[in-house]
Amino acid sequence: MKSKIAFITGASHGIGRAIAVEFARAGYSLALNCRSSADDLNKLAKELNETYGIPCIALIGDAGDEDFVNHAFLRTEQTLGAVTTLVNNAGLSHIGLLSDMRLMEWERIMKTNLTSVFCCCKRAIPNMVHGKYGQILNISSVWGNIGASCEVAYSASKGGVNAFTKALAKELAPSCIAVNGIACGVIDTRMNQCFSEEERRQLAEEIPAGRFGSVQEVAQLALSVVTSPLYLTGQIITMDGGWQ
């Protein structure tokens, strides 16, 4: 039986936190990462260890920084073992006209949303190839599929994640490593708290399901994908209540 050791980025809140809880319930050993919410992440790691009896470590740092990622994976390997499941969830949004966006803001979005995926995958792959098994799941967005006005950088970064996922899946399938993505629609997280109550109501009315998705629903799908047969690979699974 394969070891179940998962490395999850952006795990201190929202979708990443829900995935961590779902994986802990399923018996995974966890390495949880976030960039700056150290108190929240440390508290979560402690709670999951105590509640589910699974090894769980917190790793504070920028998943878009290759030096940090190398250090984080080394600590994970020394503490838990080689990572068998990688969930790239770290994400950052930016709403505004592209003409008003500064280069540093563009670069921050790309580093957080796309470069982090590159850094973590690059570090995880060698051990997965050696073990002839691996699951990589990238959390994306419907805007990576179709684009969104006033979210050009975010859409571009998530479109990059989608293309990255499909290409890497072809590269790694011969090594028994699956690479998939979940393109989320409107999920009820703090990323969408910028909307007023009226805007939230109008947006929900546009969605055939009539509501925002929950982080728990995304987490349940995430666990289902990474426990699927390895023949499921290269897929971007859209979860949006029938919206797009």
Side-chain angles (χ1 to χ4, degrees):
M1 184 176 179
K2 296 290 184 183
S3 299
K4 299 194 297 185
I5 301 170
F7 189 104
I8 305 170
T9 68
S12 62
H13 63 274
I15 291 172
R17 188 184 194 283
I19 291 174
V21 173
E22 192 74 14
F23 280 31
R25 187 180 292 121
Y28 280 76
S29 299
L30 297 176
L32 306 180
N33 159 256
C34 75
R35 184 176 59 194
S36 56
S37 302
D39 290 344
D40 291 339
L41 194 69
N42 285 317
K43 181 179 178 182
L44 175 62
K46 185 173 184 291
E47 288 177 355
L48 295 181
N49 172 257
E50 292 175 350
T51 302
Y52 299 103
I54 51 97
C56 189
I57 60 173
L59 303 159
I60 313 301
D62 188 347
D65 180 273
E66 190 171 26
D67 289 339
F68 166 74
V69 169
N70 288 337
H71 170 77
F73 270 80
L74 179 60
R75 184 180 164 202
T76 300
E77 290 156 3
Q78 292 172 339
T79 307
L80 306 176
V83 171
T84 59
T85 301
L86 169 62
V87 180
N88 289 304
N89 170 71
L92 188 66
S93 67
H94 179 96
I95 298 176
L97 296 172
L98 182 68
S99 56
D100 293 335
M101 191 175 195
R102 295 175 294 171
L103 178 60
M104 63 179 292
E105 293 172 322
W106 170 274
E107 290 175 338
R108 186 183 178 206
I109 292 286
M110 293 301 163
K111 184 178 184 182
T112 300
N113 296 1
L114 186 55
T115 303
S116 64
V117 178
F118 162 77
C119 290
C120 290
C121 286
K122 181 183 176 183
R123 185 58 178 77
I125 286 168
N127 280 333
M128 290 182 175
V129 170
H130 179 75
K132 294 183 172 55
Y133 176 82
Q135 287 278 1
I136 297 173
L137 179 63
N138 300 321
I139 305 301
S140 186
S141 167
V142 292
W143 296 147
N145 299 341
I146 62 173
S149 174
C150 294
E151 293 190 62
V152 173
Y154 181 78
S155 299
S157 69
K158 292 302 186 179
V161 168
N162 291 351
F164 182 105
T165 299
K166 289 177 176 291
L168 188 61
K170 294 176 180 178
E171 188 171 312
L172 296 180
S175 299
C176 301
I177 301 168
V179 188
N180 293 291
I182 298 175
C184 296
V186 185
I187 308 301
D188 197 7
T189 68
R190 71 182 190 183
M191 186 179 286
N192 293 313
Q193 289 177 357
C194 58
F195 299 117
S196 68
E197 283 303 313
E198 177 61 19
E199 289 171 333
R200 288 171 62 90
R201 184 188 64 77
Q202 291 176 352
L203 185 53
E205 288 177 353
E206 295 177 11
I207 301 169
R211 62 177 177 85
F212 290 9
S214 73
V215 294
Q216 289 77 20
E217 288 172 314
V218 181
Q220 289 166 14
L221 177 59
L223 181 62
S224 176
V225 171
V226 302
T227 54
S228 293
L230 294 175
Y231 204 67
L232 177 70
T233 192
Q235 303 306 303
I236 307 298
I237 303 166
T238 299
M239 187 181 198
D240 67 355
W243 184 36
Q244 298 296 333

